[in-house]
Structure formats: C-alpha cells, structure tokens
Amino acid sequence: MSDILQGGGNLVRGVMDLDIMEACSVLSSISTLAIALTSWYQIRRDTLIGYVPMVVIDDFAWSDGRLVAQIRNYGTGPALDVKLWGMRGRDAVPIAPMVDGRRVTGLHLAPAEAKCVHLVATRPSSERGRADVPEEIRIRYYSVRGRTFEGRAEIPQDLRNVEPQSELGQAGCDLPE
C-alpha cells in the first residue's frame, strides 16, 4: 500500500518537475482531446436529429365508396415500412396499404412526400354499401437509423356515419395536395 502511495507521490512530483512550457503543452493536449470528444458527440447527435421522420394523416375523405387518407411525412428523414391499424375500441385490424388502387408490399415516405392510402375497403354484409369504419388509425414506422415511431389519428365522427355511395371502383385521391 505504501508503494502505491509513493508511486502516486512520484507522479505528482513528476508533474511538479515540469517547467511552464511542458505544463502548458500537457494542458493543451488535454484540451484538444476534450474538444474532439465534444465535437464527436455533437456530430453524432446532429446526425440522429437530421433524419427524423414525422408521419401525419392530413385529411380523410370518402372516394368511390372507400375511405381514403392523405398521409404526409413532415420530418427531415424518410419514413420506412409505414404500418397502419384501424382501431375500434380495443380491437386492432391491420390495414394493407393500397396506393393509387394497387396494393403495395411496403409503404415508404420520403421527406415532404404525401400519398393517398385506402383505409377501409367495403366488406360484403347484409347491409349493402355499409363500410366497417374504424374510430382511429394507428401508425408505426421506422427511421433510417432504426428508431421506431408511432402516431395516431382519429377519424372524424361525420365520416364514420356516412354511407359510401357505391361499393365498386378504384379510390382516387380527391384530397387536396
């Protein structure tokens, strides 16, 4: 134990033996290392912030008997693998993305990109033309950095109560850009 204390004392004595120029050089090296570490942290943080998607459902509308939503990415990075669920109470029903009347295997949104997506397809039932409209839509997507984001949008009550005009046809995008 006394050897360790003597070794520590030698280190202090060694630092004290430095002249002023050597001490300033050591202090400058430590400062340069601290600046490099804080710069690395700031660059890493700016990179993470620089690629953050923010997907929002801007508007809902009925079009050719289908409920359509305009989904837009207001973030600074792409939204990858956007998944949608229709919620009725506690029940969640996955919504297969349909864009421009075609099913897509993966829905991705670039920054400032908007797409019109079919949310509800009319189901055959005893009441012809009656659509099964969810109360809200849940959204989950990923950033290019692998972070998961979630959001939700409530479907307005007046759209939940509207009977679609027809069961057939492709849904266009009658929503404003």
Side-chain angles (χ1 to χ4, degrees), residues 57 60 67 83-96 118-120 123 132-139 153 155:
I57 296 180
F60 296 98
L67 186 63
K83 303 273 188 205
L84 303 167
W85 288 272
M87 303 295 293
R88 291 193 67 112
R90 292 184 180 260
D91 297 329
V93 177
I95 298 171
H118 303 217
L119 294 179
V120 176
R123 293 184 179 174
D132 189 16
V133 180
E135 296 169 356
E136 75 176 16
I137 302 297
R138 297 251 171 116
I139 306 168
I155 296 176

Side-chain angles (χ1 to χ4, degrees), residues 23-114:
C24 288
S25 178
V26 168
L27 188 58
S28 174
S29 298
I30 292 171
S31 300
T32 302
L33 180 61
I35 290 171
L37 288 175
T38 57
S39 296
W40 172 79
Y41 172 77
Q42 188 66 36
I43 289 169
R44 185 171 180 269
R45 186 172 152 257
D46 288 346
T47 302
L48 287 176
I49 290 172
Y51 295 105
V52 177
M54 185 175 72
V55 176
V56 176
I57 296 180
D58 281 341
D59 200 6
F60 296 98
W62 281 102
S63 177
D64 293 330
R66 298 176 188 265
L67 186 63
V68 178
Q70 182 175 7
I71 300 176
R72 184 180 299 270
N73 182 359
Y74 285 101
T76 57
L80 305 176
D81 198 23
V82 178
K83 303 273 188 205
L84 303 167
W85 288 272
M87 303 295 293
R88 291 193 67 112
R90 292 184 180 260
D91 297 329
V93 177
I95 298 171
M98 284 184 69
V99 178
D100 297 328
R102 293 175 296 173
R103 277 202 200 286
V104 293
T105 56
L107 183 60
H108 309 294
L109 292 169
E113 181 181 14

Side-chain angles (χ1 to χ4, degrees), residues 13 25 97 131 146 174:
R13 244 183 277 128
S25 178
D174 297 336

